[in-house]
Amino acid sequence: VASSRCNPVLIIGATGTGKEMAALAVHAIRHPREKFVALNCAALTANLLESELFGHVKGSFTGAEREKTGLFELAGAGTLFLDEISEMPQDLQAKLLRVLQEKTFRKVGGTKDVKCQATIVASSNRNLKEEVAGKRFRRDLYYRLNVCPIVIAPLQSARRRDDIPLLAEYFLHHSNICPPKQGKIRSLTKLALEALQKHDWPGNVRELRNVIDRAI
C-alpha cells in the first residue's frame, strides 16, 4: 500500500494494536523527507476540529484574531494521519469527502481554494461497515476511504502469536522506564516467554509494552 499511489489509506484495528505505527511506516516508505502530522478526531469538539483541519481566516468567528494554518496545509506533501476517523462529526465527514475527491479545501471563513498535496491516512478502532449501517458514519466517505484497507489483527489472534516474543524483546531493549537498568537486562527467560504467549492481551501491544516496563 505504501509503495502504491493509494490515497487515502485506511487502517483498521482494535485499540493498542499499533495503528499509528502502521501509519508512520506508510509515511516512512512514501514520504521519508516530508512532515508527518497526526490528529486525534475524538479529542476535539466539532468547531475546533474543523479549524484544526482547514485553518481559518482572521475574523471568521469570535476569537479568530489572526489567520491559522490548518493541518491539511501544514502536512504539505507529507502525511496527515486522522486517528479515530469514526469519531468525526457527520457534517465534517462531508467536508473531508470533498477534500478527498477535489484535492482542494477552503479555510473556515475563506474564499480561496487551497491545494491539498498530503497523503491522508485514516484509522479507526470500530467496524466502519457497522458504523455505516447504524447511520453513524457516511456511506460515501466509507467507500472513498476503503480502497486498500490495512487491517491490523489483535495480539490475541493466532497469526500474531509469533509477534509476541519479537515485540517483548524490542520493548525490553528500548524501555527507558528505569535508567539505571537500561542495557543491563538482556533477555527474557523461557518461562516468561511462555507466560507471555499464553496471555490473551485484551490491551494488545500497548498492554504488552506496559507488562515489560513493569517487569523491568
Side-chain angles (χ1 to χ4, degrees), residues 90-180:
Q90 292 215 7
D91 57 338
L92 261 186
Q93 290 177 24
K95 292 177 181 179
L96 173 61
L97 179 64
R98 185 181 181 279
V99 177
L100 297 178
Q101 289 175 336
E102 307 297 330
K103 303 298 181 188
T104 61
F105 63 93
R106 287 182 183 177
K107 293 186 176 186
V108 176
T111 55
K112 289 182 184 176
D113 285 336
V114 182
K115 189 173 178 58
C116 177
Q117 299 175 294
T119 295
I120 309 299
V121 181
S123 81
S124 179
N125 63 0
R126 297 178 187 270
N127 183 322
L128 289 184
K129 197 175 278 189
E130 289 178 3
E131 293 298 297
V132 169
K135 301 189 184 302
R136 293 179 294 272
F137 197 79
R138 289 183 64 104
R139 185 179 298 273
D140 47 6
L141 179 57
Y142 169 66
Y143 286 118
R144 186 68 188 84
L145 289 170
N146 197 39
V147 184
C148 297
I150 298 169
V151 180
I152 304 180
L155 206 52
Q156 63 182 237
S157 163
R159 68 176 189 267
R160 288 206 72 184
R161 285 286 147 182
D162 290 343
D163 289 357
I164 292 170
L166 295 172
L167 289 164
E169 289 283 346
Y170 177 85
F171 294 141
L172 185 73
H173 295 306
H174 290 81
S175 173
N176 58 4
I177 196 165
C178 190

Coordinates of all heavy atoms in Angstrom, one line a residue, residues 90-180:
Q90 N -20.6 14.2 11.5 CA -21.0 13.9 10.1 C -20.9 15.1 9.2 O -20.6 14.9 8.0 CB -22.4 13.3 10.1 CG -22.5 11.9 10.7 CD -23.5 11.0 10.0 OE1 -24.1 11.3 9.0 NE2 -23.7 9.8 10.6
D91 N -21.2 16.3 9.7 CA -21.0 17.4 8.8 C -19.6 17.6 8.3 O -19.3 18.0 7.2 CB -21.6 18.7 9.4 CG -20.9 19.0 10.7 OD1 -20.4 18.1 11.4 OD2 -20.9 20.2 11.1
L92 N -18.6 17.3 9.2 CA -17.2 17.4 8.9 C -16.8 16.2 8.0 O -15.9 16.4 7.1 CB -16.4 17.4 10.1 CG -15.9 18.7 10.7 CD1 -14.9 18.5 11.8 CD2 -15.2 19.5 9.6
Q93 N -17.5 15.1 8.1 CA -17.2 13.9 7.2 C -17.5 14.3 5.8 O -16.8 14.0 4.9 CB -18.1 12.7 7.6 CG -17.7 12.1 8.9 CD -18.6 11.0 9.3 OE1 -19.3 10.4 8.5 NE2 -18.7 10.6 10.6
A94 N -18.6 15.1 5.6 CA -18.9 15.6 4.2 C -17.9 16.5 3.7 O -17.5 16.4 2.5 CB -20.3 16.3 4.3
K95 N -17.3 17.4 4.5 CA -16.2 18.3 4.1 C -15.0 17.5 3.8 O -14.2 17.9 2.9 CB -16.0 19.4 5.1 CG -17.2 20.3 5.2 CD -17.0 21.4 6.3 CE -18.3 22.3 6.4 NZ -18.1 23.3 7.5
L96 N -14.7 16.5 4.6 CA -13.5 15.7 4.4 C -13.6 14.9 3.0 O -12.7 14.8 2.3 CB -13.3 14.7 5.5 CG -12.2 13.6 5.3 CD1 -10.8 14.3 5.1 CD2 -12.2 12.6 6.4
L97 N -14.8 14.4 2.7 CA -15.1 13.7 1.5 C -14.8 14.6 0.3 O -14.1 14.2 -0.7 CB -16.5 13.3 1.4 CG -16.9 12.5 0.1 CD1 -16.2 11.2 0.0 CD2 -18.5 12.3 0.2
R98 N -15.2 15.9 0.4 CA -14.9 16.8 -0.7 C -13.4 17.0 -0.9 O -12.9 17.1 -2.0 CB -15.6 18.2 -0.4 CG -15.4 19.2 -1.5 CD -16.1 20.5 -1.2 NE -15.9 21.4 -2.4 CZ -14.9 22.1 -2.6 NH1 -13.8 22.0 -1.9 NH2 -14.8 22.9 -3.7
V99 N -12.6 17.1 0.2 CA -11.2 17.3 0.1 C -10.6 16.1 -0.6 O -9.7 16.2 -1.5 CB -10.5 17.5 1.5 CG1 -9.0 17.5 1.4 CG2 -11.1 18.7 2.2
L100 N -11.0 14.9 -0.2 CA -10.5 13.6 -0.8 C -10.8 13.5 -2.3 O -10.0 13.0 -3.1 CB -11.1 12.4 -0.1 CG -10.7 12.3 1.4 CD1 -11.4 11.0 2.0 CD2 -9.2 12.2 1.6
Q101 N -12.0 14.1 -2.7 CA -12.4 14.0 -4.1 C -11.8 15.1 -4.9 O -11.3 14.9 -6.0 CB -13.9 14.0 -4.2 CG -14.6 12.8 -3.7 CD -16.1 12.9 -3.7 OE1 -16.7 13.9 -3.6 NE2 -16.7 11.7 -3.8
E102 N -11.8 16.3 -4.4 CA -11.3 17.5 -5.2 C -9.9 17.8 -5.0 O -9.3 18.6 -5.8 CB -12.2 18.7 -4.8 CG -13.7 18.5 -4.9 CD -14.2 18.2 -6.3 OE1 -13.5 18.7 -7.3 OE2 -15.2 17.5 -6.5
K103 N -9.3 17.3 -3.9 CA -7.9 17.6 -3.5 C -7.7 19.1 -3.2 O -6.6 19.7 -3.4 CB -6.9 17.2 -4.6 CG -7.0 15.7 -4.9 CD -6.6 14.8 -3.7 CE -6.7 13.3 -4.1 NZ -6.5 12.5 -2.9
T104 N -8.8 19.8 -2.9 CA -8.7 21.2 -2.5 C -9.6 21.4 -1.3 O -10.5 20.6 -1.0 CB -9.1 22.2 -3.6 OG1 -10.5 21.9 -4.0 CG2 -8.2 22.1 -4.9
F105 N -9.4 22.5 -0.6 CA -10.2 22.9 0.6 C -10.2 24.4 0.7 O -9.4 25.1 0.2 CB -9.7 22.2 1.8 CG -8.3 22.6 2.3 CD1 -8.2 23.6 3.2 CD2 -7.2 22.0 1.7 CE1 -6.9 24.1 3.6 CE2 -5.9 22.4 2.1 CZ -5.8 23.4 3.0
R106 N -11.1 24.9 1.6 CA -11.1 26.3 1.9 C -11.0 26.4 3.4 O -11.6 25.7 4.2 CB -12.4 26.9 1.4 CG -12.5 27.1 -0.1 CD -13.8 27.8 -0.5 NE -13.8 28.0 -1.9 CZ -14.9 28.5 -2.6 NH1 -15.9 28.9 -1.9 NH2 -14.9 28.6 -3.9
K107 N -10.3 27.5 3.8 CA -10.2 27.7 5.3 C -11.6 28.2 5.8 O -12.4 28.7 5.0 CB -9.1 28.9 5.5 CG -7.7 28.4 5.2 CD -6.7 29.5 5.6 CE -5.3 29.0 5.4 NZ -4.3 30.0 5.9
V108 N -11.8 28.0 7.1 CA -13.0 28.5 7.7 C -13.1 30.0 7.5 O -12.2 30.7 7.8 CB -13.1 28.1 9.2 CG1 -14.4 28.7 9.8 CG2 -13.0 26.6 9.4
G109 N -14.2 30.4 6.8 CA -14.4 31.9 6.5 C -13.7 32.3 5.3 O -13.7 33.5 4.9
G110 N -12.9 31.4 4.6 CA -12.1 31.8 3.4 C -12.9 31.6 2.1 O -13.9 31.0 2.1
T111 N -12.4 32.2 1.0 CA -13.0 32.1 -0.3 C -12.1 31.4 -1.3 O -12.5 31.1 -2.4 CB -13.4 33.5 -0.8 OG1 -12.3 34.4 -0.8 CG2 -14.5 34.1 0.1
K112 N -10.8 31.3 -0.9 CA -9.8 30.8 -1.9 C -9.7 29.3 -1.7 O -9.7 28.8 -0.6 CB -8.4 31.4 -1.6 CG -8.3 32.8 -2.0 CD -6.8 33.3 -1.8 CE -6.7 34.8 -2.1 NZ -5.3 35.2 -1.8
D113 N -9.5 28.6 -2.8 CA -9.3 27.1 -2.8 C -7.8 26.9 -2.5 O -6.9 27.5 -3.2 CB -9.7 26.4 -4.1 CG -11.2 26.3 -4.2 OD1 -11.9 26.3 -3.2 OD2 -11.7 26.2 -5.3
V114 N -7.5 26.0 -1.5 CA -6.1 25.7 -1.2 C -5.9 24.2 -1.6 O -6.7 23.4 -1.3 CB -5.8 25.9 0.3 CG1 -4.3 25.6 0.6 CG2 -6.2 27.3 0.7
K115 N -4.8 24.0 -2.3 CA -4.5 22.6 -2.8 C -4.0 21.7 -1.6 O -3.2 22.1 -0.8 CB -3.4 22.7 -3.9 CG -3.2 21.3 -4.6 CD -2.3 21.5 -5.8 CE -2.0 20.2 -6.5 NZ -3.2 19.6 -7.0
C116 N -4.6 20.5 -1.6 CA -4.1 19.5 -0.6 C -3.2 18.5 -1.3 O -3.7 17.8 -2.2 CB -5.3 18.8 0.0 SG -4.9 17.5 1.2
Q117 N -1.9 18.5 -0.9 CA -1.0 17.6 -1.5 C -0.7 16.4 -0.7 O 0.0 15.4 -1.2 CB 0.4 18.4 -1.7 CG 0.3 19.6 -2.6 CD 1.6 20.4 -2.6 OE1 2.0 20.9 -1.6 NE2 2.2 20.4 -3.8
A118 N -1.1 16.4 0.6 CA -0.7 15.3 1.5 C -1.4 14.0 1.2 O -2.5 13.9 0.6 CB -1.1 15.7 2.9
T119 N -0.8 12.9 1.6 CA -1.4 11.6 1.7 C -2.3 11.6 3.0 O -1.8 11.9 4.1 CB -0.4 10.4 1.8 OG1 0.3 10.4 0.5 CG2 -1.1 9.1 2.0
I120 N -3.5 11.2 2.9 CA -4.4 11.2 4.0 C -4.5 9.7 4.5 O -4.9 8.8 3.8 CB -5.8 11.7 3.7 CG1 -5.8 13.1 3.0 CG2 -6.7 11.7 5.0 CD1 -5.2 14.2 3.8
V121 N -4.1 9.5 5.8 CA -4.2 8.2 6.4 C -5.2 8.3 7.5 O -5.0 9.1 8.4 CB -2.8 7.7 6.9 CG1 -2.9 6.3 7.5 CG2 -1.7 7.7 5.8
A122 N -6.2 7.5 7.4 CA -7.3 7.5 8.5 C -7.3 6.2 9.2 O -7.0 5.1 8.6 CB -8.6 7.7 7.8
S123 N -7.6 6.2 10.5 CA -7.6 5.0 11.2 C -8.9 4.9 12.1 O -9.5 5.9 12.4 CB -6.4 4.8 12.2 OG -6.7 5.6 13.4
S124 N -9.3 3.7 12.4 CA -10.5 3.5 13.3 C -10.4 2.2 14.1 O -9.9 1.2 13.5 CB -11.8 3.5 12.4 OG -12.9 3.3 13.3
N125 N -10.8 2.3 15.3 CA -10.9 1.0 16.1 C -12.3 0.4 16.0 O -12.6 -0.6 16.7 CB -10.5 1.3 17.6 CG -11.4 2.2 18.3 OD1 -12.4 2.7 17.7 ND2 -11.1 2.5 19.5
R126 N -13.2 1.0 15.3 CA -14.5 0.5 15.1 C -14.7 -0.2 13.7 O -13.9 0.1 12.8 CB -15.5 1.6 15.2 CG -15.6 2.3 16.6 CD -16.6 3.4 16.5 NE -16.6 4.2 17.7 CZ -17.3 4.0 18.8 NH1 -18.1 3.0 18.8 NH2 -17.2 4.8 19.9
N127 N -15.7 -1.0 13.6 CA -16.0 -1.6 12.3 C -16.8 -0.6 11.5 O -18.0 -0.3 11.8 CB -16.8 -2.9 12.5 CG -17.2 -3.6 11.2 OD1 -17.4 -3.0 10.2 ND2 -17.1 -4.9 11.2
L128 N -16.2 0.0 10.5 CA -16.8 1.2 9.8 C -18.1 0.7 9.0 O -19.0 1.5 8.9 CB -15.9 1.9 8.9 CG -14.8 2.7 9.6 CD1 -13.9 3.4 8.6 CD2 -15.4 3.7 10.5
K129 N -18.1 -0.5 8.6 CA -19.3 -1.0 7.9 C -20.5 -1.0 8.9 O -21.6 -0.7 8.5 CB -19.0 -2.5 7.4 CG -20.0 -2.9 6.3 CD -19.6 -4.3 5.7 CE -18.5 -4.1 4.7 NZ -18.3 -5.4 4.0
E130 N -20.2 -1.4 10.1 CA -21.3 -1.4 11.1 C -21.7 0.0 11.5 O -22.9 0.3 11.7 CB -20.9 -2.1 12.4 CG -20.8 -3.6 12.2 CD -20.2 -4.3 13.5 OE1 -20.0 -3.6 14.5 OE2 -20.1 -5.6 13.4
E131 N -20.7 0.9 11.5 CA -21.0 2.3 11.8 C -21.9 2.9 10.6 O -22.8 3.7 10.9 CB -19.7 3.1 11.9 CG -18.8 2.8 13.1 CD -19.5 3.0 14.4 OE1 -19.8 4.2 14.7 OE2 -19.8 2.0 15.1
V132 N -21.6 2.5 9.4 CA -22.4 3.0 8.3 C -23.9 2.4 8.4 O -24.8 3.2 8.3 CB -21.8 2.5 6.9 CG1 -22.8 2.7 5.8 CG2 -20.5 3.3 6.6
A133 N -24.0 1.2 8.8 CA -25.3 0.5 8.9 C -26.1 1.2 10.0 O -27.3 1.4 10.0 CB -25.2 -1.0 9.2
G134 N -25.4 1.7 11.1 CA -26.0 2.4 12.2 C -26.2 3.9 12.0 O -26.6 4.6 12.9
K135 N -25.9 4.3 10.7 CA -26.0 5.7 10.3 C -25.2 6.7 11.2 O -25.5 7.8 11.4 CB -27.5 6.1 10.3 CG -28.4 5.3 9.4 CD -29.8 5.9 9.3 CE -30.7 5.0 8.5 NZ -30.2 4.8 7.1
R136 N -24.0 6.2 11.7 CA -23.1 7.0 12.4 C -21.9 7.4 11.6 O -21.1 8.3 12.0 CB -22.6 6.2 13.7 CG -23.7 5.9 14.7 CD -23.2 5.2 15.9 NE -22.7 3.8 15.5 CZ -23.5 2.8 15.5 NH1 -24.8 2.9 15.8 NH2 -23.1 1.6 15.2
F137 N -21.8 6.9 10.4 CA -20.7 7.2 9.5 C -21.2 7.2 8.1 O -22.0 6.4 7.7 CB -19.6 6.2 9.6 CG -18.2 6.6 9.1 CD1 -17.4 7.5 9.8 CD2 -17.8 6.2 7.8 CE1 -16.2 7.9 9.4 CE2 -16.6 6.6 7.3 CZ -15.8 7.5 8.1
R138 N -20.8 8.2 7.4 CA -21.3 8.4 6.0 C -20.9 7.3 5.1 O -19.7 6.9 5.0 CB -20.8 9.7 5.4 CG -21.4 11.0 6.0 CD -20.8 12.2 5.3 NE -21.2 12.2 3.9 CZ -22.2 13.0 3.4 NH1 -22.8 13.8 4.2 NH2 -22.4 13.0 2.1
R139 N -21.8 6.7 4.4 CA -21.6 5.6 3.4 C -20.6 6.0 2.3 O -19.7 5.3 2.0 CB -22.9 5.2 2.8 CG -22.8 3.9 1.9 CD -24.2 3.5 1.4 NE -25.1 3.2 2.5 CZ -25.1 2.0 3.0 NH1 -24.4 1.0 2.6 NH2 -26.0 1.7 4.0
D140 N -20.8 7.3 1.7 CA -20.0 7.7 0.6 C -18.5 7.9 1.1 O -17.6 7.6 0.4 CB -20.5 9.0 0.0 CG -20.9 10.0 1.0 OD1 -20.7 9.9 2.2 OD2 -21.5 11.1 0.5
L141 N -18.3 8.4 2.3 CA -17.0 8.5 2.8 C -16.3 7.2 3.1 O -15.1 7.0 2.8 CB -17.0 9.4 4.1 CG -15.6 9.6 4.8 CD1 -14.6 10.3 3.8 CD2 -15.7 10.4 6.0
Y142 N -17.1 6.2 3.6 CA -16.6 4.9 3.9 C -16.0 4.3 2.6 O -14.9 3.7 2.5 CB -17.7 4.0 4.5 CG -17.3 2.5 4.5 CD1 -16.2 2.1 5.3 CD2 -17.9 1.6 3.7 CE1 -15.9 0.8 5.3 CE2 -17.6 0.3 3.7 CZ -16.5 -0.2 4.5 OH -16.2 -1.5 4.5
Y143 N -16.8 4.4 1.5 CA -16.4 3.8 0.2 C -15.2 4.5 -0.4 O -14.4 4.0 -1.1 CB -17.5 3.6 -0.8 CG -18.5 2.5 -0.4 CD1 -19.8 2.8 -0.1 CD2 -18.0 1.2 -0.3 CE1 -20.6 1.7 0.3 CE2 -18.8 0.2 0.1 CZ -20.2 0.4 0.4 OH -21.0 -0.6 0.8
R144 N -15.1 5.8 -0.1 CA -13.9 6.6 -0.6 C -12.7 6.2 0.2 O -11.6 6.2 -0.4 CB -14.2 8.1 -0.4 CG -13.2 9.0 -1.0 CD -13.2 8.9 -2.5 NE -12.1 9.6 -3.2 CZ -10.8 9.1 -3.3 NH1 -10.6 7.9 -2.9 NH2 -9.9 9.8 -3.9
L145 N -12.8 5.9 1.5 CA -11.6 5.5 2.3 C -11.2 4.1 2.1 O -10.0 3.8 2.1 CB -12.0 5.7 3.8 CG -12.1 7.1 4.3 CD1 -12.7 7.1 5.7 CD2 -10.8 7.9 4.3
N146 N -12.2 3.2 1.8 CA -11.9 1.8 1.8 C -11.4 1.3 0.4 O -12.0 0.4 -0.2 CB -13.3 1.1 2.2 CG -13.0 -0.4 2.6 OD1 -12.1 -0.7 3.3 ND2 -13.9 -1.3 2.2
V147 N -10.3 1.8 0.0 CA -9.7 1.4 -1.3 C -8.8 0.2 -1.0 O -9.0 -0.9 -1.6 CB -8.8 2.5 -1.9 CG1 -8.3 2.1 -3.3 CG2 -9.7 3.8 -2.0
C148 N -7.7 0.3 -0.2 CA -6.8 -0.8 0.1 C -6.6 -0.8 1.6 O -5.6 -0.4 2.1 CB -5.5 -0.6 -0.6 SG -5.5 -0.7 -2.4
P149 N -7.7 -1.2 2.4 CA -7.6 -1.1 3.8 C -6.5 -2.0 4.4 O -6.2 -3.1 3.9 CB -8.9 -1.6 4.3 CG -9.5 -2.5 3.2 CD -8.9 -1.8 1.9
I150 N -5.8 -1.5 5.4 CA -4.8 -2.2 6.2 C -5.5 -2.7 7.4 O -5.8 -1.8 8.3 CB -3.5 -1.4 6.5 CG1 -2.9 -0.9 5.2 CG2 -2.6 -2.1 7.4 CD1 -1.8 0.1 5.4
V151 N -5.7 -4.0 7.6 CA -6.3 -4.5 8.8 C -5.3 -5.1 9.7 O -4.6 -6.0 9.4 CB -7.4 -5.5 8.4 CG1 -8.1 -6.0 9.7 CG2 -8.4 -4.9 7.5
I152 N -5.2 -4.5 11.0 CA -4.2 -5.0 11.9 C -4.9 -5.9 12.9 O -5.8 -5.5 13.6 CB -3.5 -3.8 12.7 CG1 -2.9 -2.9 11.6 CG2 -2.5 -4.3 13.6 CD1 -2.2 -1.7 12.3
A153 N -4.5 -7.2 12.9 CA -5.1 -8.2 13.8 C -4.7 -7.9 15.3 O -3.6 -7.4 15.5 CB -4.6 -9.6 13.4
P154 N -5.6 -8.2 16.2 CA -5.3 -8.1 17.6 C -4.2 -9.1 18.0 O -3.9 -10.1 17.3 CB -6.6 -8.4 18.3 CG -7.4 -9.2 17.4 CD -7.0 -8.8 16.0
L155 N -3.5 -8.8 19.1 CA -2.3 -9.6 19.5 C -2.8 -11.0 19.9 O -2.0 -11.9 19.9 CB -1.6 -8.9 20.7 CG -0.1 -9.2 20.9 CD1 0.7 -9.0 19.6 CD2 0.4 -8.4 22.0
Q156 N -4.1 -11.2 20.3 CA -4.5 -12.5 20.7 C -4.8 -13.4 19.5 O -5.0 -14.6 19.6 CB -5.8 -12.4 21.5 CG -7.0 -11.7 20.8 CD -8.2 -11.6 21.7 OE1 -9.3 -12.1 21.3 NE2 -8.1 -10.9 22.8
S157 N -4.8 -12.8 18.3 CA -5.0 -13.6 17.1 C -3.9 -14.6 16.9 O -2.7 -14.4 17.2 CB -5.0 -12.6 15.9 OG -4.9 -13.3 14.7
A158 N -4.3 -15.8 16.4 CA -3.3 -16.9 16.2 C -2.2 -16.4 15.3 O -1.0 -16.8 15.4 CB -4.0 -18.1 15.6
R159 N -2.5 -15.6 14.3 CA -1.4 -15.2 13.3 C -0.5 -14.1 13.9 O 0.5 -13.8 13.2 CB -2.0 -14.8 12.0 CG -2.8 -13.5 12.0 CD -3.2 -13.3 10.5 NE -3.8 -12.0 10.3 CZ -5.1 -11.7 10.3 NH1 -6.0 -12.7 10.6 NH2 -5.6 -10.5 10.1
R160 N -0.7 -13.7 15.1 CA 0.2 -12.7 15.7 C 0.9 -13.3 16.9 O 1.7 -12.5 17.5 CB -0.6 -11.4 16.1 CG -1.0 -10.6 14.9 CD -1.2 -9.1 15.3 NE 0.1 -8.5 15.5 CZ 0.2 -7.2 15.9 NH1 -0.9 -6.5 16.1 NH2 1.3 -6.6 16.1
R161 N 0.7 -14.5 17.2 CA 1.4 -15.1 18.3 C 3.0 -15.0 18.2 O 3.7 -14.9 19.2 CB 1.0 -16.6 18.5 CG -0.4 -16.8 19.1 CD -0.4 -16.5 20.6 NE -1.7 -15.9 20.9 CZ -2.0 -15.5 22.2 NH1 -1.1 -15.6 23.1 NH2 -3.2 -14.9 22.4
D162 N 3.5 -15.2 17.0 CA 4.9 -15.1 16.8 C 5.4 -13.7 17.0 O 6.6 -13.5 17.1 CB 5.3 -15.6 15.4 CG 5.1 -17.1 15.2 OD1 5.0 -17.8 16.3 OD2 5.0 -17.6 14.1
D163 N 4.5 -12.7 16.9 CA 5.0 -11.3 17.2 C 5.3 -11.0 18.6 O 6.1 -10.1 18.9 CB 3.8 -10.3 16.7 CG 3.6 -10.3 15.2 OD1 4.4 -10.9 14.5 OD2 2.7 -9.5 14.8
I164 N 4.7 -11.8 19.5 CA 4.8 -11.5 21.0 C 6.3 -11.5 21.4 O 6.7 -10.6 22.0 CB 3.9 -12.5 21.8 CG1 2.4 -12.1 21.5 CG2 4.2 -12.3 23.3 CD1 1.4 -13.1 22.1
P165 N 7.1 -12.6 21.2 CA 8.5 -12.6 21.6 C 9.3 -11.5 21.0 O 10.1 -10.9 21.6 CB 9.0 -14.0 21.3 CG 8.0 -14.6 20.3 CD 6.7 -13.9 20.6
L166 N 9.0 -11.2 19.7 CA 9.7 -10.1 19.0 C 9.4 -8.8 19.6 O 10.4 -8.0 19.8 CB 9.3 -10.1 17.5 CG 9.6 -11.3 16.6 CD1 9.0 -11.2 15.3 CD2 11.1 -11.5 16.5
L167 N 8.2 -8.5 19.9 CA 7.8 -7.2 20.5 C 8.3 -7.1 21.9 O 8.8 -6.1 22.3 CB 6.3 -7.1 20.5 CG 5.6 -6.8 19.1 CD1 4.1 -7.1 19.2 CD2 5.9 -5.4 18.7
A168 N 8.2 -8.2 22.7 CA 8.7 -8.2 24.0 C 10.2 -7.9 24.1 O 10.7 -7.1 24.9 CB 8.4 -9.6 24.7
E169 N 11.0 -8.6 23.2 CA 12.4 -8.3 23.1 C 12.7 -6.8 22.8 O 13.6 -6.2 23.3 CB 13.1 -9.2 22.1 CG 13.2 -10.7 22.6 CD 14.3 -11.0 23.6 OE1 15.1 -10.1 23.8 OE2 14.2 -12.1 24.2
Y170 N 11.9 -6.3 21.8 CA 12.1 -4.9 21.4 C 11.9 -4.0 22.6 O 12.7 -3.1 22.8 CB 11.2 -4.6 20.2 CG 11.3 -3.2 19.8 CD1 12.3 -2.8 18.9 CD2 10.4 -2.2 20.3 CE1 12.4 -1.4 18.5 CE2 10.5 -0.9 19.9 CZ 11.5 -0.5 19.0 OH 11.7 0.8 18.6
F171 N 10.8 -4.2 23.3 CA 10.4 -3.3 24.4 C 11.5 -3.4 25.5 O 11.8 -2.5 26.2 CB 9.0 -3.6 24.9 CG 7.9 -3.3 23.9 CD1 6.8 -4.1 23.8 CD2 8.0 -2.1 23.1 CE1 5.8 -3.8 22.9 CE2 7.0 -1.8 22.2 CZ 5.9 -2.6 22.1
L172 N 12.0 -4.7 25.7 CA 13.0 -4.9 26.7 C 14.2 -4.1 26.5 O 14.8 -3.4 27.4 CB 13.3 -6.4 26.8 CG 14.3 -6.9 27.9 CD1 13.6 -6.9 29.2 CD2 14.8 -8.3 27.6
H173 N 14.6 -4.0 25.2 CA 15.9 -3.3 24.9 C 15.7 -1.8 24.7 O 16.7 -1.1 24.7 CB 16.5 -3.9 23.6 CG 16.9 -5.4 23.7 ND1 17.8 -5.8 24.7 CD2 16.6 -6.5 23.1 CE1 18.0 -7.1 24.6 NE2 17.2 -7.5 23.6
H174 N 14.5 -1.4 24.5 CA 14.2 0.1 24.3 C 13.5 0.8 25.4 O 13.3 2.0 25.3 CB 13.5 0.3 22.9 CG 14.2 -0.1 21.7 ND1 14.4 -1.4 21.3 CD2 15.0 0.7 20.9 CE1 15.2 -1.4 20.2 NE2 15.5 -0.1 19.9
S175 N 13.2 0.1 26.5 CA 12.5 0.7 27.6 C 13.4 1.7 28.3 O 14.6 1.4 28.5 CB 12.0 -0.4 28.6 OG 11.5 0.3 29.7
N176 N 12.9 2.8 28.7 CA 13.7 3.8 29.4 C 13.0 4.1 30.8 O 13.2 5.1 31.4 CB 13.9 5.1 28.6 CG 12.5 5.7 28.3 OD1 11.5 5.3 28.7 ND2 12.6 6.8 27.5
I177 N 12.2 3.1 31.2 CA 11.4 3.4 32.5 C 12.3 3.4 33.7 O 12.0 4.0 34.7 CB 10.3 2.3 32.6 CG1 9.3 2.8 33.7 CG2 10.8 0.9 32.9 CD1 8.0 2.0 33.7
C178 N 13.4 2.7 33.6 CA 14.4 2.6 34.8 C 15.8 2.8 34.3 O 16.5 1.8 34.0 CB 14.2 1.2 35.5 SG 15.1 1.1 37.0
P179 N 16.2 4.0 34.1 CA 17.6 4.3 33.6 C 18.7 3.5 34.1 O 19.6 3.1 33.4 CB 17.7 5.8 33.8 CG 16.3 6.4 33.8 CD 15.5 5.3 34.5
P180 N 18.8 3.3 35.5 CA 20.0 2.5 36.0 C 20.0 1.1 35.4 O 21.1 0.5 35.4 CB 19.7 2.5 37.5 CG 18.8 3.6 37.8 CD 18.0 3.8 36.6

